[in-house]
Structure formats: C-alpha cells, structure tokens
Amino acid sequence: MPHYHAIVDNQMQSPTWKDPVTAADRVLLEIQRAIVEGQIAPGSKISEPELAKRYDLSRAPLREALARLERCHLIERIPNAGARVVKLSVAGLVSLYQLRETLEGLACRLAAEHMTDAEIAQVQQLLDQHLSTQRVREGESYYQEAGDVDFHYRVILGSKNPYLINLLCDELYFIVRMYRVQLGMNGPRVSRAFDEHKAIINAIANRDGELADLLMRRHIGASRRNIETHFKQPHFKQPHFK
Amino acid sequence: MPHYHAIVDNQMQSPTWKDPVTAADRVLLEIQRAIVEGQIAPGSKISEPELAKRYDLSRAPLREALARLERCHLIERIPNAGARVVKLSVAGLVSLYQLRETLEGLACRLAAEHMTDAEIAQVQQLLDQHLSTQRVREGESYYQEAGDVDFHYRVILGSKNPYLINLLCDELYFIVRMYRVQLGMNGPRVSRAFDEHKAIINAIANRDGELADLLMRRHIGASRRNIETHFKQPHFKQPHFK
DNA sequence: CGCAAATATTTCGCATACAAAAATATTTTA
DNA sequence: TAAAATATTTTTGTATGCGAAATATTTGCG
C-alpha cells in the first residue's frame, strides 16, 4: 500500500496536522469527514444535543469542535440560533478558487525561494512515484486525489510561511475538498494534472518563482473550471431549498 | 467627532463585525484589545482560571473566546498545556505582510471589477474628508490609523469575496494591528499614505485592476519596511526570552 | 551541592446542571 | 377562518464540579 494512501485517510501526519489527542479533536475529524462527504447534508441544521448523543460525548467538547468547523468554513453559526452546514454554490466556488489561485501562487513564489534542493528533489521523485502507481492502478481516482493533495501540500510547506501554511492546510483544505468530493471530481484530468505538477516543480527547481506562480494559478484555474462544469450536470443534485 | 473615530473604538460596526451579543463576544473584544495593546505581554501564559476571575465570568464563555483568539493568531494553544500570547518577531512580520500584500492586491483587482461607481465615489470623498480633518488635527496619529484602516476596509469589502473579506477583516486584522501598535507606528508616512491611497482608488475607478494591485502591494510593502526598521530601535523593548 | 525521582498542586478537558433566548405549538380573538 | 397573542418546548449560552494531565515543588540519593 503506497504511503500516500494514508494521507487522506488518517489526516496527513505532518508538521501541520498533529494527531488527535483530545476528545474534541477526534469528534472534529469525524464530523469534518461527514460534512465533506455529504453524510450531513449541506444547509442542514446542526443540533448540539443530537450530535452529542450521536458521537457519545457531552456538549462541551462538541462546541469546541463546532468552533473549529466554523473556522474551516464548513458550518456557519448564528448567536443564540445555532449552526448550519454550508451550502455549495457556484459563487462560493469561484470566490474560494480566486483565493486559492492567489495563495498557492504565492506559495510557489516563496517555495522557489525557500525550498532546499533536497526538498525539491524529494517532490520530484514523489511525482514519478505517483505516476508509476497511477499507471498500475488505472482509473482509481482515489489515488489521483491523494497524489494531488500530496503535491500541493509539499509546495505549500515549502513556502515556509506559517500563516500561509495554516491558511491553506487547515482553514481552506476541507471546504475545497468538500466541493471536489460532493461534485464527484473523480476521473479525468489525471495525466494532464501530472504534467502540470511536473512543470511547476521544475520551475521551482530552476528558482523561477514567477513562472511557478503563473503555472500554479493556471493549474488551479483549470481545476476550478473543471469543477464548475459539474454544477449543472447530472452528478450533482441541486440543493433542495427549504 | 468624525465618524471614523468610532471605527477603531467600537469595533467598526459593519457587514463583518456584528456587535457583541453573548458574554463570550464581549470578553473576546476586551482580551483582543488587551493583547493588541500589550497589556497582556507577548509570550505570557494565559491562565483560564485567572482570566475567568479577572473578567468575572465562568470558564465556558472564556474558552469560547480563547478559541477565537487562536483563530486570529493572537494566542497559541497546546492541548492539555494551555495558551500563550504570540511573540512578535521580524520573521513573523515578514510572513504576515507577504500574505497581506498578496491578499490586498487581490482585493484591489476584484474591487476594480466589482465595486459600483457609487461605492468608489464614496471612498474618494472619504479620502478627501480624512485629508481635511488630518490637516486640522496635525500630528494626531490616531486619526491617521483610523483613516488607513477605513480605506483598506472599504477596498476589501469592495472585492465582494466573502472568504477574502473574512480573512483580512476578521483573522488577520488584529495581529497586523498588534504589530503596528506595539512597535509604536504613530507618526510619519502620513501624507505619503494618503497619496498612495488616492492613487489606488483612482486605479480602481479606472477599472485598472492590475495597476491597483501593483500599487497596493507597493503600499503595503512600504508599510512593512517602515515597521521593520522599528524592531531594532529604542521604541521597542526586545522580547525578554524566558 | 547538584541532579533525579517522587509527591503535591495547579490547570486543562469534559460532564452535568441551570438559565435565558428561540422556535414551535396552542389558544384566543377579530 | 385567519391572524395575533400567549404558552410550551426545545436549544443555546453559562455556571459548577470532577478526573486526568501537566507543571511546580519537595525529597532523596549520588
């Protein structure tokens, strides 16, 4: 089993994601998964007593978890009223990806400046590794997403900017993933994404931050348009307003 | 009393900052102020029991407030260990302003695209207003900061991007302000800032997002260098490591 | 006297309990 | 019958209490 299997599963053991120690940590991960995968429907109300019972803990740690869910934009809270799971929308997707393009572009520029040669080489061999395993297990989109996440993750860490890392890996990661998962972003764009990744890391290896920035923004822009087209298509059941 | 006096004082009544309704909201504002102004020293430990007693409430709403303080990067929490006020550093300042440059640059590009003519005109007359009152009350740096905050705030809102607005106005605003306040960023750079603001809003008025982006990044870059020089100077007492 | 182990104390995390506000259901009235 | 007003129930916000983990202190030993 390739090691990046674990990346999406047990939450990417790494500088940023420390393993859950408290009960609030654990329930946070569970609810995050449930929301991202749509098991808790977008727009649905979050009942504290119900979830507390459902996950078998008191409301105290649950509320801690809710605070962090709000932080990563998976729920919206209104004082004295309660929390609701966010609804997905084209406008939201565009806003989110505008931000992502800019931020990951910045990450590239900084990575070109701050990554060591060793780190860069590591990412390059990682890409080759992904490519080979992807060829072996053709069609398994799961691996593609893991590989994609892994690549972006490395570049972001390479920026060495704590604010940027926290933002992309902790605050925006899950809502981005929610869009991808709920709109069924499996399948295509696989080999093309690999090529784009390669071009980006090469630019970084050449210490060409400007180019890496440009390529990354283009890469993410393509990804956005790819998701955008899925909104009006059979894959996605439009939110039933209520 | 000019209306923007109230902006820094009672927390900028606006789309983003809803007035405190719960007890946690109120204590959050108080502690935010205390940290930003250095009344609670950088690096010092946050004792929940102590603060609960100090602000006369139970630990429940206090912990809610602490969660949000962590969200805006004013404290750092370690599970089972507690929270500490962040320490200021040159590296932190640089990382923060790298992010700010990029984000507010993006805000400018989007503002040039999405702001209505009316909104733009409003900002322009706001600048004139600031300029006149600034001339009257020469040297009062307080007004300058309020005016600066006000300008940036308008442009950010003008982007119409909810993620970007939340990020800059809620999550990064206070830590940016902490650097400025604790390094004694009163004084100079006043008239120059006004000119730069004017140039930016004019670019937006001309729907020249690229130029507005560039000017804003330059504007913030200048601000960063201005603060950076203060780190090694008498104004700031270097953190006493401990 | 210095350092390490053991104890004591503080502090955090979580559960329970209560109060206030919202939401819902019910009754009353036009 | 429909709308307004009131009552009931649910849910959120806050307070208190207890157990576990971490920190501080003391004790014992080299």
Side-chain angles (χ1 to χ4, degrees), chain B residues 80-118:
Chain B
N80 284 320
R84 308 192 80 90
V85 177
V86 294
K87 290 185 200 162
L88 304 185
S89 68
V90 183
L93 175 72
V94 170
S95 291
L96 180 61
Y97 269 67
Q98 278 173 347
L99 195 58
R100 239 196 106 194
E101 277 184 44
T102 301
L103 290 175
E104 295 214 32
L106 172 62
C108 279
R109 248 180 301 140
L110 296 177
E113 206 173 328
H114 297 315
M115 279 182 89
T116 67
D117 293 335

CSV table of all heavy atoms in Angstrom, one decimal, chain B residues 80-118:
chain,number,residue,atom,x,y,z
B,80,ASN,N,-3.9,20.3,26.5
B,80,ASN,CA,-3.5,19.9,27.8
B,80,ASN,C,-2.5,20.8,28.5
B,80,ASN,O,-2.1,20.5,29.6
B,80,ASN,CB,-3.1,18.5,27.9
B,80,ASN,CG,-4.3,17.5,27.8
B,80,ASN,OD1,-5.3,17.8,28.3
B,80,ASN,ND2,-4.1,16.5,27.0
B,81,ALA,N,-2.0,21.8,27.8
B,81,ALA,CA,-0.9,22.6,28.3
B,81,ALA,C,-1.3,24.0,28.6
B,81,ALA,O,-1.0,24.6,29.6
B,81,ALA,CB,0.3,22.6,27.4
B,82,GLY,N,-2.1,24.6,27.7
B,82,GLY,CA,-2.6,25.9,27.8
B,82,GLY,C,-2.2,26.8,26.6
B,82,GLY,O,-1.8,26.3,25.6
B,83,ALA,N,-2.5,28.1,26.8
B,83,ALA,CA,-2.3,29.0,25.7
B,83,ALA,C,-1.3,30.1,26.1
B,83,ALA,O,-1.2,30.5,27.3
B,83,ALA,CB,-3.6,29.7,25.4
B,84,ARG,N,-0.6,30.6,25.1
B,84,ARG,CA,0.4,31.7,25.3
B,84,ARG,C,0.1,32.8,24.3
B,84,ARG,O,-0.3,32.5,23.2
B,84,ARG,CB,1.8,31.3,25.2
B,84,ARG,CG,2.2,30.1,26.0
B,84,ARG,CD,3.7,29.9,26.1
B,84,ARG,NE,4.3,30.8,27.0
B,84,ARG,CZ,4.5,30.5,28.3
B,84,ARG,NH1,4.2,29.3,28.8
B,84,ARG,NH2,5.1,31.3,29.1
B,85,VAL,N,0.3,34.1,24.7
B,85,VAL,CA,0.2,35.2,23.8
B,85,VAL,C,1.3,35.0,22.8
B,85,VAL,O,2.4,34.7,23.1
B,85,VAL,CB,0.3,36.5,24.5
B,85,VAL,CG1,0.2,37.7,23.5
B,85,VAL,CG2,-0.9,36.6,25.5
B,86,VAL,N,1.0,35.3,21.5
B,86,VAL,CA,2.1,35.2,20.5
B,86,VAL,C,3.2,36.2,20.8
B,86,VAL,O,3.0,37.2,21.4
B,86,VAL,CB,1.5,35.5,19.1
B,86,VAL,CG1,0.5,34.4,18.7
B,86,VAL,CG2,0.9,36.8,19.0
B,87,LYS,N,4.4,35.8,20.3
B,87,LYS,CA,5.5,36.7,20.4
B,87,LYS,C,5.7,37.4,19.0
B,87,LYS,O,5.5,36.7,18.0
B,87,LYS,CB,6.8,36.0,20.7
B,87,LYS,CG,6.8,35.5,22.1
B,87,LYS,CD,8.2,34.8,22.4
B,87,LYS,CE,8.1,33.9,23.6
B,87,LYS,NZ,9.3,33.0,23.6
B,88,LEU,N,6.1,38.6,19.0
B,88,LEU,CA,6.3,39.3,17.8
B,88,LEU,C,7.8,39.1,17.3
B,88,LEU,O,8.6,39.0,18.2
B,88,LEU,CB,6.1,40.8,17.9
B,88,LEU,CG,4.7,41.2,18.5
B,88,LEU,CD1,4.5,42.7,18.5
B,88,LEU,CD2,3.6,40.6,17.6
B,89,SER,N,8.0,39.0,16.0
B,89,SER,CA,9.3,38.7,15.5
B,89,SER,C,9.4,39.3,14.1
B,89,SER,O,8.4,39.5,13.5
B,89,SER,CB,9.6,37.2,15.5
B,89,SER,OG,8.8,36.6,14.5
B,90,VAL,N,10.6,39.5,13.7
B,90,VAL,CA,10.8,40.1,12.3
B,90,VAL,C,10.3,39.0,11.3
B,90,VAL,O,9.6,39.4,10.4
B,90,VAL,CB,12.3,40.4,12.1
B,90,VAL,CG1,12.4,41.0,10.7
B,90,VAL,CG2,12.8,41.3,13.1
B,91,ALA,N,10.7,37.8,11.6
B,91,ALA,CA,10.2,36.7,10.7
B,91,ALA,C,8.7,36.7,10.6
B,91,ALA,O,8.1,36.6,9.5
B,91,ALA,CB,10.7,35.4,11.1
B,92,GLY,N,8.0,36.8,11.7
B,92,GLY,CA,6.6,36.8,11.7
B,92,GLY,C,6.0,38.0,11.0
B,92,GLY,O,5.1,37.8,10.2
B,93,LEU,N,6.6,39.1,11.2
B,93,LEU,CA,6.1,40.3,10.5
B,93,LEU,C,6.3,40.1,9.0
B,93,LEU,O,5.3,40.4,8.2
B,93,LEU,CB,7.0,41.5,10.9
B,93,LEU,CG,6.7,42.8,10.2
B,93,LEU,CD1,5.3,43.4,10.6
B,93,LEU,CD2,7.8,43.8,10.4
B,94,VAL,N,7.4,39.6,8.5
B,94,VAL,CA,7.6,39.4,7.1
B,94,VAL,C,6.6,38.4,6.5
B,94,VAL,O,6.0,38.7,5.5
B,94,VAL,CB,9.1,38.9,6.8
B,94,VAL,CG1,9.2,38.5,5.4
B,94,VAL,CG2,10.1,40.0,7.2
B,95,SER,N,6.4,37.3,7.2
B,95,SER,CA,5.5,36.3,6.8
B,95,SER,C,4.1,36.9,6.7
B,95,SER,O,3.3,36.7,5.7
B,95,SER,CB,5.4,35.1,7.7
B,95,SER,OG,6.6,34.4,7.6
B,96,LEU,N,3.7,37.6,7.7
B,96,LEU,CA,2.4,38.2,7.7
B,96,LEU,C,2.1,39.2,6.6
B,96,LEU,O,1.1,39.2,5.9
B,96,LEU,CB,2.2,38.9,9.1
B,96,LEU,CG,0.8,39.6,9.3
B,96,LEU,CD1,-0.3,38.6,9.2
B,96,LEU,CD2,0.8,40.3,10.6
B,97,TYR,N,3.2,40.0,6.3
B,97,TYR,CA,3.0,41.1,5.3
B,97,TYR,C,3.1,40.5,3.9
B,97,TYR,O,2.6,41.1,3.0
B,97,TYR,CB,4.0,42.2,5.6
B,97,TYR,CG,3.3,43.3,6.5
B,97,TYR,CD1,3.0,43.0,7.8
B,97,TYR,CD2,3.0,44.5,6.0
B,97,TYR,CE1,2.4,44.0,8.6
B,97,TYR,CE2,2.4,45.5,6.8
B,97,TYR,CZ,2.1,45.2,8.1
B,97,TYR,OH,1.5,46.2,8.8
B,98,GLN,N,3.9,39.5,3.8
B,98,GLN,CA,3.9,38.8,2.5
B,98,GLN,C,2.5,38.4,2.1
B,98,GLN,O,2.0,38.6,1.0
B,98,GLN,CB,4.8,37.5,2.5
B,98,GLN,CG,6.2,37.8,2.3
B,98,GLN,CD,7.1,36.5,2.6
B,98,GLN,OE1,6.6,35.5,3.1
B,98,GLN,NE2,8.3,36.5,2.2
B,99,LEU,N,1.8,37.8,3.1
B,99,LEU,CA,0.4,37.4,2.9
B,99,LEU,C,-0.5,38.6,2.6
B,99,LEU,O,-1.3,38.5,1.7
B,99,LEU,CB,-0.1,36.6,4.1
B,99,LEU,CG,-1.3,35.8,4.0
B,99,LEU,CD1,-1.1,34.7,2.9
B,99,LEU,CD2,-1.6,35.1,5.3
B,100,ARG,N,-0.3,39.6,3.4
B,100,ARG,CA,-1.2,40.8,3.3
B,100,ARG,C,-1.0,41.4,1.9
B,100,ARG,O,-2.0,41.8,1.3
B,100,ARG,CB,-0.8,41.8,4.3
B,100,ARG,CG,-1.9,42.1,5.3
B,100,ARG,CD,-1.6,43.4,6.0
B,100,ARG,NE,-2.3,44.6,5.6
B,100,ARG,CZ,-2.0,45.8,5.9
B,100,ARG,NH1,-0.9,46.1,6.6
B,100,ARG,NH2,-2.7,46.8,5.4
B,101,GLU,N,0.2,41.5,1.5
B,101,GLU,CA,0.5,42.1,0.2
B,101,GLU,C,-0.3,41.4,-0.9
B,101,GLU,O,-1.1,42.0,-1.7
B,101,GLU,CB,2.0,42.1,-0.2
B,101,GLU,CG,2.8,43.2,0.4
B,101,GLU,CD,4.3,43.1,-0.1
B,101,GLU,OE1,4.5,42.8,-1.3
B,101,GLU,OE2,5.2,43.2,0.8
B,102,THR,N,-0.2,40.1,-0.9
B,102,THR,CA,-0.9,39.3,-2.0
B,102,THR,C,-2.4,39.4,-1.8
B,102,THR,O,-3.1,39.6,-2.8
B,102,THR,CB,-0.4,37.8,-1.8
B,102,THR,OG1,1.0,37.8,-2.0
B,102,THR,CG2,-1.1,37.0,-2.8
B,103,LEU,N,-2.9,39.3,-0.6
B,103,LEU,CA,-4.3,39.3,-0.4
B,103,LEU,C,-5.0,40.7,-0.7
B,103,LEU,O,-6.0,40.7,-1.4
B,103,LEU,CB,-4.6,38.9,1.0
B,103,LEU,CG,-4.4,37.5,1.4
B,103,LEU,CD1,-4.6,37.2,2.9
B,103,LEU,CD2,-5.2,36.5,0.6
B,104,GLU,N,-4.3,41.7,-0.3
B,104,GLU,CA,-4.9,43.0,-0.5
B,104,GLU,C,-4.7,43.4,-2.0
B,104,GLU,O,-5.5,44.2,-2.6
B,104,GLU,CB,-4.4,44.1,0.4
B,104,GLU,CG,-4.8,43.8,1.9
B,104,GLU,CD,-5.0,45.1,2.7
B,104,GLU,OE1,-5.4,46.1,2.1
B,104,GLU,OE2,-4.7,45.0,3.9
B,105,GLY,N,-3.7,42.9,-2.6
B,105,GLY,CA,-3.5,43.1,-4.0
B,105,GLY,C,-4.7,42.4,-4.8
B,105,GLY,O,-5.3,43.0,-5.6
B,106,LEU,N,-5.0,41.2,-4.4
B,106,LEU,CA,-6.2,40.5,-5.0
B,106,LEU,C,-7.4,41.3,-4.7
B,106,LEU,O,-8.3,41.5,-5.6
B,106,LEU,CB,-6.3,39.1,-4.3
B,106,LEU,CG,-7.5,38.3,-4.7
B,106,LEU,CD1,-7.6,38.1,-6.2
B,106,LEU,CD2,-7.6,37.0,-3.9
B,107,ALA,N,-7.6,41.8,-3.5
B,107,ALA,CA,-8.8,42.6,-3.2
B,107,ALA,C,-8.9,43.8,-4.1
B,107,ALA,O,-10.0,44.1,-4.6
B,107,ALA,CB,-8.7,43.1,-1.7
B,108,CYS,N,-7.8,44.4,-4.5
B,108,CYS,CA,-7.8,45.5,-5.4
B,108,CYS,C,-8.3,45.1,-6.8
B,108,CYS,O,-9.1,45.7,-7.4
B,108,CYS,CB,-6.5,46.2,-5.5
B,108,CYS,SG,-6.1,47.3,-4.2
B,109,ARG,N,-7.7,44.0,-7.2
B,109,ARG,CA,-8.1,43.5,-8.6
B,109,ARG,C,-9.6,43.2,-8.6
B,109,ARG,O,-10.3,43.6,-9.5
B,109,ARG,CB,-7.3,42.3,-8.9
B,109,ARG,CG,-6.3,42.5,-10.1
B,109,ARG,CD,-5.6,41.2,-10.4
B,109,ARG,NE,-4.8,40.7,-9.3
B,109,ARG,CZ,-4.7,39.5,-8.9
B,109,ARG,NH1,-5.3,38.5,-9.7
B,109,ARG,NH2,-4.0,39.1,-7.9
B,110,LEU,N,-10.1,42.6,-7.6
B,110,LEU,CA,-11.5,42.2,-7.5
B,110,LEU,C,-12.4,43.5,-7.3
B,110,LEU,O,-13.5,43.6,-7.9
B,110,LEU,CB,-11.8,41.2,-6.4
B,110,LEU,CG,-11.1,39.9,-6.6
B,110,LEU,CD1,-11.4,39.0,-5.4
B,110,LEU,CD2,-11.6,39.2,-7.8
B,111,ALA,N,-11.9,44.4,-6.5
B,111,ALA,CA,-12.6,45.7,-6.3
B,111,ALA,C,-12.8,46.4,-7.6
B,111,ALA,O,-13.9,47.0,-7.9
B,111,ALA,CB,-11.9,46.5,-5.2
B,112,ALA,N,-11.7,46.5,-8.4
B,112,ALA,CA,-11.8,47.2,-9.7
B,112,ALA,C,-12.9,46.5,-10.6
B,112,ALA,O,-13.4,47.2,-11.5
B,112,ALA,CB,-10.4,47.1,-10.4
B,113,GLU,N,-13.1,45.3,-10.3
B,113,GLU,CA,-14.1,44.6,-11.1
B,113,GLU,C,-15.5,44.7,-10.6
B,113,GLU,O,-16.5,44.8,-11.3
B,113,GLU,CB,-13.7,43.1,-11.1
B,113,GLU,CG,-14.1,42.3,-12.3
B,113,GLU,CD,-13.5,40.9,-12.3
B,113,GLU,OE1,-12.4,40.8,-11.8
B,113,GLU,OE2,-14.2,39.9,-12.7
B,114,HIS,N,-15.6,44.7,-9.2
B,114,HIS,CA,-17.0,44.5,-8.6
B,114,HIS,C,-17.5,45.8,-7.9
B,114,HIS,O,-18.7,45.8,-7.6
B,114,HIS,CB,-16.9,43.4,-7.6
B,114,HIS,CG,-16.6,42.1,-8.2
B,114,HIS,ND1,-17.2,41.6,-9.4
B,114,HIS,CD2,-15.8,41.1,-7.9
B,114,HIS,CE1,-16.8,40.4,-9.7
B,114,HIS,NE2,-15.9,40.1,-8.8
B,115,MET,N,-16.7,46.8,-7.6
B,115,MET,CA,-17.2,47.9,-6.9
B,115,MET,C,-18.1,48.7,-7.8
B,115,MET,O,-17.8,48.9,-9.0
B,115,MET,CB,-16.1,48.8,-6.3
B,115,MET,CG,-15.5,48.3,-5.0
B,115,MET,SD,-14.3,49.4,-4.4
B,115,MET,CE,-15.3,50.6,-3.4
B,116,THR,N,-19.2,49.2,-7.3
B,116,THR,CA,-20.1,50.1,-8.1
B,116,THR,C,-19.4,51.5,-8.1
B,116,THR,O,-18.6,51.9,-7.3
B,116,THR,CB,-21.5,50.2,-7.5
B,116,THR,OG1,-21.3,50.9,-6.2
B,116,THR,CG2,-22.1,48.9,-7.2
B,117,ASP,N,-19.8,52.3,-9.1
B,117,ASP,CA,-19.3,53.7,-9.2
B,117,ASP,C,-19.7,54.4,-8.0
B,117,ASP,O,-18.9,55.2,-7.5
B,117,ASP,CB,-20.0,54.4,-10.4
B,117,ASP,CG,-19.5,53.7,-11.8
B,117,ASP,OD1,-18.4,53.2,-11.7
B,117,ASP,OD2,-20.2,53.8,-12.8
B,118,ALA,N,-20.8,54.2,-7.4
B,118,ALA,CA,-21.2,54.9,-6.2
B,118,ALA,C,-20.3,54.6,-5.0
B,118,ALA,O,-19.8,55.5,-4.3
B,118,ALA,CB,-22.7,54.5,-5.8
